[in-house]
Amino acid sequence: MNNSAHILAKDNDGTPLWTFLREALKPKGKIFTPFNVVSIPIILLGLVIIIIRFAKGIGSVTNLTQEVPWGLWIGFDVVTGVAFAGGAYVITFMVYILNMKKYHSIVRVTVLNGFLAYVFYAGALLLDLGRPWNVINPIIGNSFGVSSVLFLVAWHFLLYMIAQLIEFSPAIAEWLGARRARKILSGMTIAAVIFGITLSTLHQSGLGALYLMAKEKIHPLWYSEFIPILFFVSSIFAGLSMVIFEGSISQKVFYHQINEKHHRAHNGILQGLAKICAIAMFAYFFLQLLVFVHGKRWIFIDSPMGYWYLTELLGFVLLPMMLFFYSYRKQNVFIIKLAAFITMLGIILNRLNVTVIGFRWDAANHYYPSWMEIVVTLTVIFIEIWIFRWIINRLPVLRDAPLWAQQIDSETKK
Amino acid sequence: MRINRMNFLKILGLTGLTITSGKTLNASPDPESQTEFFGILYDSTRCVGCQECEIVCAKAHDLPQNASDDMPVAGVKRNTNENRRSVINAYETKNGEVYAKNQCMHCNQPACASACLTQAMYKTEQGPVIWREDKCMGCRYCMVSCPFDVPKFEYLSPNPKIVKCDMCFDQIESGQLPICVANCPAEALSFGSRRELIAEAHRRIYANPDLYYDQVYGEHEAGGTSFLYLSSVPFAEIGLRTELQKSSYPELTKGFLYSVPSIFVLWPALLLGIFKSTKSNSNIEEEYE
């Protein structure tokens, strides 16, 4: 993938747009990489399953029941995926609102990641809708269900995708060599960021609020009226752990696109993020403790679900939190990555515990996802990674903006 | 740091956006409304478990009839499903075999209707909670929210519907009785305004205190329901959920929804403030760039 110089030269050389786009659609790099060999068959299989799902109904490929109407596609793809996409609002808050210049080099890739996550996980939501052709109903306004938390979440997904697209759009303009458009779009960044952070606060917590009415259906160790706050606080370190994880992979895979200065700065960025994660996790753990005491939850502890709850909180919140604190003292990047990985597992556990594992935990027939649901989930993730790679290889996301754009930026600063 | 016209308009726009959302629960009863909710009172002491209500319900709503050996048997729980809006179950109790009918409870403030983002699930002014096919997008949030697990989904259809009792809304609108009430040979079911039915239920309890368990199920459960039960035994013994809260389920999300407008007003102002106050440092930390 050492062709960044070639791409850089092509960014704004004035070829007709159509030729340029057709050129851009061609694959770059080797076809038979390990990732491709694994992902292509799964994607093809997943597409077949999706066709079956639309021809024969959701029940033909999923294990959903009348008691458990939301399974893996909602609990993992949407609820967990959106928590991981939370990095975008945290990083834009730090860089644009708090003006922490140190993290500027990772803004674009984080926003791109967040944007794609929303597009694909909202897309996964369409697969789960029984009557997806009516999805426009809550948008066009003939029937607004304004008392629904899902109405709020749906609108916020839509608006936040637009906000993220605006935040990312200068990169597209640089790629196309559109100077005027870039100027206009850059001017909209702050408004989009402020709007985006507000939307994120509300829909990250809103995803938790979706489950507030399922009061008797969720195991009492995971149900409380504080689910929205817990979801919001945990989205901070969920998103940042994803940024650490994704950044560590991108540093290797897209090594040649990143300039020397940013390579050197990366460890410093990771240490900063680790510190924020540690503090956010401390707040989260403390909140969980308060909810535990407030809800007199100790009566549930001595049971299999109780041990499971302790595993989640001690093994996947307290432990990585201490690792983050420790890594910050020791300046050890490996421990940061390890802690981020454990944190991500913990977020998956927590979201699935609320939405799937603890949901109707007492039902006679427990829900387990079918292999086809898992394949479709993997398909969604793999297609997202393909698109991500396609964009990274073409647009100035990890690599530097074209010279003309850099000049404009340095002039406006003066 | 001043508020210029641009920012003022931005904030104004955001405020305006939020005013339109999250003000009222569309599931709550309209105080101005003159009509009372209709309801159905089911007296399990009169029910003989003949399944006539099941048979006429299936016929009236184009659903398949039960298999001939599909009868209520004590110890076997039969459930409503995508082919069956109403079922009769039998329970072995200290008073012998007691029957209980299960169907939509038609809550006063239904969780399903407040959960529905397209108002496909809809609490009518007359009381029945109905499902409207042209609005529903099949998200199944109503099923997640319903404390009674009433809405059922056609999982094996490419054009799936939500199936549940609608209290024969069409019949009610044309001034007729719901089909199960009209055809009950034992007169276990009565139709009327919810207020009258509650009075009638309590009258029966007072008139015959030895026969009845002294409570009307549905009077307070989940904030009150239009379907009401009388029984000779405690309701938990005939499969009804007694652990449910007495206040309505939409109340549970009210706090969250009410916080939305305030966050929409406060957050942008706060973020704008922080942005303006940190902006002045931007030239000092050039070395990070």
Side-chain angles (χ1 to χ4, degrees):
Chain A
M1 270 171 220
N2 190 4
N3 47 10
S4 52
H6 168 64
I7 305 160
L8 265 177
K10 219 171 59 184
D11 269 323
N12 52 349
D13 59 358
T15 45
L17 189 64
W18 171 242
T19 347
F20 176 63
L21 287 179
R22 202 176 48 192
E23 195 65 23
L25 279 173
K26 285 183 188 159
K28 291 184 199 293
K30 278 190 290 184
I31 305 249
F32 292 102
T33 61
F35 172 73
N36 289 3
V37 169
V38 174
S39 64
I40 290 173
I42 292 183
I43 290 175
L44 292 177
L45 183 60
L47 294 178
V48 172
I49 295 170
I50 290 171
I51 291 170
I52 298 174
R53 172 255 170 275
F54 279 107
K56 294 193 167 175
I58 294 171
S60 59
V61 299
T62 68
N63 279 348
L64 295 174
T65 64
Q66 302 290 358
E67 284 75 35
V68 185
W70 283 359
L72 191 72
W73 289 353
I74 299 289
F76 184 78
D77 298 19
V78 179
V79 179
T80 313
V82 166
F84 284 144
Y89 83 87
V90 182
I91 297 286
T92 52
F93 175 69
M94 285 157 59
V95 171
Y96 292 110
I97 305 296
L98 296 182
N99 213 3
M100 295 159 87
K101 291 270 152 100
K102 181 179 164 186
Y103 302 97
H104 197 269
S105 63
I106 59 166
V107 163
R108 271 194 183 171
V109 67
T110 309
V111 169
L112 173 65
N113 229 328
F115 173 70
L116 289 179
Y118 275 85
V119 169
F120 278 88
Y121 303 147
L125 200 65
L126 286 183
L127 297 179
D128 200 67
L129 291 183
R131 309 165 61 81
W133 50 90
N134 277 342
V135 74
I136 46 159
N137 274 353
I139 310 292
I140 56 175
N142 60 345
S143 42
F144 275 179
V146 289
S147 64
S148 171
V149 180
L150 194 59
F151 177 79
L152 175 115
V153 170
W155 263 95
H156 280 203
F157 275 15
L158 187 75
L159 293 174
Y160 188 49
M161 275 191 250
I162 296 169
Q164 282 185 312
L165 190 60
I166 293 172
E167 288 168 22
F168 184 71
S169 59
I172 302 172
E174 285 169 16
W175 177 55
L176 297 173
R179 292 169 196 229
R180 269 184 62 83
R182 181 182 181 275
K183 195 173 170 224
I184 297 165
L185 293 168
S186 301
M188 292 160 72
T189 299
I190 281 297
V193 164
I194 289 176
F195 195 48
I197 295 167
T198 310
L199 291 169
S200 291
T201 312
L202 287 170
H203 72 244
Q204 290 286 358
S205 49
L207 281 175
L210 281 180
Y211 287 87
L212 285 177
M213 277 197 282
K215 191 179 173 189
E216 286 85 11
K217 301 184 185 183
I218 296 172
H219 191 281
L221 282 171
W222 284 278
Y223 181 89
S224 74
E225 66 263 48
F226 303 105
I227 296 181
I229 296 169
L230 293 173
F231 268 42
F232 171 66
V233 176
S234 56
S235 76
I236 296 172
F237 56 81
L240 290 183
S241 294
M242 188 61 171
V243 171
I244 294 171
F245 180 74
E246 172 273 321
S248 309
I249 293 173
S250 292
Q251 284 283 320
K252 288 205 177 68
V253 176
F254 305 109
Y255 185 84
H256 299 288
Q257 301 200 16
I258 304 168
N259 74 24
E260 201 44 41
K261 201 168 70 179
H262 288 162
H263 270 302
R264 267 186 278 115
H266 192 68
N267 283 354
I269 289 176
L270 290 190
Q271 277 154 10
L273 295 180
K275 196 163 121 188
I276 300 167
C277 275
I279 294 166
M281 289 176 91
F282 181 77
Y284 175 75
F285 190 77
F286 194 73
L287 273 173
Q288 281 281 16
L289 215 60
L290 284 182
V291 174
F292 184 84
V293 175
H294 181 78
K296 301 187 178 66
R297 284 179 170 179
W298 48 82
I299 51 170
F300 306 110
I301 280 297
D302 192 20
S303 69
M305 286 308 262
Y307 307 142
W308 185 235
Y309 173 81
L310 288 179
T311 311
E312 180 199 316
L313 270 195
L314 301 180
F316 293 90
V317 180
L318 193 64
L319 174 72
M321 179 189 97
M322 295 200 300
L323 285 178
F324 273 130
F325 274 120
Y326 183 72
S327 73
Y328 187 72
R329 298 208 142 189
K330 294 279 169 185
Q331 307 276 309
N332 185 328
V333 175
F334 172 75
I335 298 179
I336 294 177
K337 291 176 185 172
L338 178 71
F341 187 70
I342 301 174
T343 305
M344 286 170 65
L345 290 181
I347 289 295
I348 295 174
L349 267 190
N350 173 256
R351 296 305 195 259
L352 290 184
N353 278 336
V354 173
T355 59
V356 176
I357 299 168
F359 192 88
R360 283 260 165 238
W361 80 101
D362 52 352
N365 297 322
H366 213 89
Y367 161 83
Y368 295 98
S370 70
W371 66 267
M372 289 183 277
E373 285 177 81
I374 295 169
V375 169
V376 169
T377 298
L378 289 175
T379 301
V380 171
I381 296 170
F382 282 145
I383 296 179
E384 192 208 334
I385 296 175
W386 272 75
I387 304 279
F388 180 73
R389 189 175 63 178
W390 187 90
I391 295 175
I392 295 280
N393 278 332
R394 284 159 185 81
L395 272 62
V397 178
L398 287 173
R399 71 187 125 82
D400 295 332
L403 280 175
W404 60 267
Q406 287 180 19
Q407 274 165 10
I408 293 172
D409 282 348
S410 57
E411 272 163 32
T412 46
K413 215 165 265 168
K414 279 164 199 162
Chain B
M1 188 174 124
R2 68 201 169 85
I3 293 183
N4 58 25
R5 195 176 62 146
M6 185 74 171
N7 288 333
F8 176 73
L9 287 177
K10 266 181 223 160
I11 293 167
L12 197 70
L14 288 175
T15 317
L17 243 174
T18 55
I19 284 169
T20 55
S21 66
K23 270 282 184 234
T24 53
L25 297 162
N26 69 348
S28 59
D30 185 359
E32 303 287 311
S33 163
Q34 297 297 309
T35 49
E36 283 186 75
F37 288 158
F38 284 120
I40 294 175
L41 172 64
Y42 169 77
D43 189 336
S44 84
T45 63
R46 296 184 181 183
C47 180
V48 294
C50 68
Q51 292 180 283
E52 184 64 22
C53 51
E54 287 185 16
I55 295 164
V56 292
C57 178
K59 201 181 284 174
H61 300 108
D62 291 326
L63 295 169
Q65 287 292 343
N66 293 328
S68 54
D69 59 344
D70 188 13
M71 311 236 282
V73 179
V76 182
K77 171 97 175 158
R78 301 162 73 234
N79 281 315
T80 55
N81 56 37
E82 67 272 34
N83 292 320
R84 189 152 71 180
R85 296 184 179 194
S86 165
V87 291
I88 296 280
N89 275 307
Y91 297 90
E92 196 53 54
T93 68
K94 62 179 190 301
N95 293 357
E97 202 165 63
V98 175
Y99 298 100
K101 186 175 180 300
N102 293 108
Q103 71 301 301
C104 176
M105 298 293 291
H106 300 281
C107 306
N108 288 350
Q109 294 187 47
C112 60
S114 95
C116 186
L117 73 168
T118 59
Q119 295 191 24
M121 259 326 161
Y122 183 70
K123 178 77 174 170
T124 57
E125 265 177 48
Q126 292 91 329
V129 179
I130 59 167
W131 175 76
R132 300 186 288 187
E133 184 170 2
D134 55 327
K135 294 188 184 293
C136 175
M137 53 190 236
C139 71
R140 308 191 292 290
Y141 187 32
C142 51
M143 301 168 71
V144 171
S145 306
C146 175
F148 301 99
D149 277 332
V150 163
K152 305 291 174 184
F153 184 75
E154 294 179 333
Y155 279 109
L156 292 174
S157 163
N159 181 13
K161 296 181 182 62
I162 295 283
V163 179
K164 74 171 203 65
C165 162
D166 61 356
M167 217 195 269
C168 294
F169 183 60
D170 298 339
Q171 298 274 106
I172 293 175
E173 274 206 310
S174 59
Q176 288 169 291
L177 291 174
I179 209 90
C180 55
V181 179
N183 288 282
C184 180
E187 294 186 357
L189 293 163
S190 4
F191 179 80
S193 85
R194 183 173 181 270
R195 189 178 48 78
E196 286 166 5
L197 289 176
I198 289 173
E200 165 66 14
H202 283 293
R203 195 194 59 73
R204 286 187 201 175
I205 295 173
Y206 293 140
N208 215 335
D210 294 335
L211 179 61
Y212 290 104
Y213 176 69
D214 186 13
Q215 208 180 324
V216 181
Y217 187 88
E219 189 177 359
H220 302 295
E221 277 70 17
T225 63
S226 270
F227 208 97
L228 303 158
Y229 285 82
L230 279 175
S231 162
S232 59
V233 293
F235 296 109
E237 288 182 39
I238 55 169
L240 297 176
R241 294 185 181 164
T242 47
E243 77 279 12
L244 302 182
Q245 61 173 24
K246 301 290 181 206
S247 53
S248 83
Y249 278 74
E251 293 283 333
L252 293 168
T253 54
K254 213 170 160 182
F256 174 77
L257 287 170
Y258 278 14
S259 72
V260 170
S262 24
I263 288 193
F264 245 117
V265 174
L266 293 176
W267 250 227
L270 188 71
L271 292 171
L272 207 61
I274 301 173
F275 167 67
K276 294 278 182 191
S277 59
T278 57
K279 206 180 175 186
S280 50
N281 305 329
S282 60
N283 295 327
I284 302 167
E285 292 170 70
E286 236 17 359
E287 65 267 25
Y288 284 126
E289 244 326 76

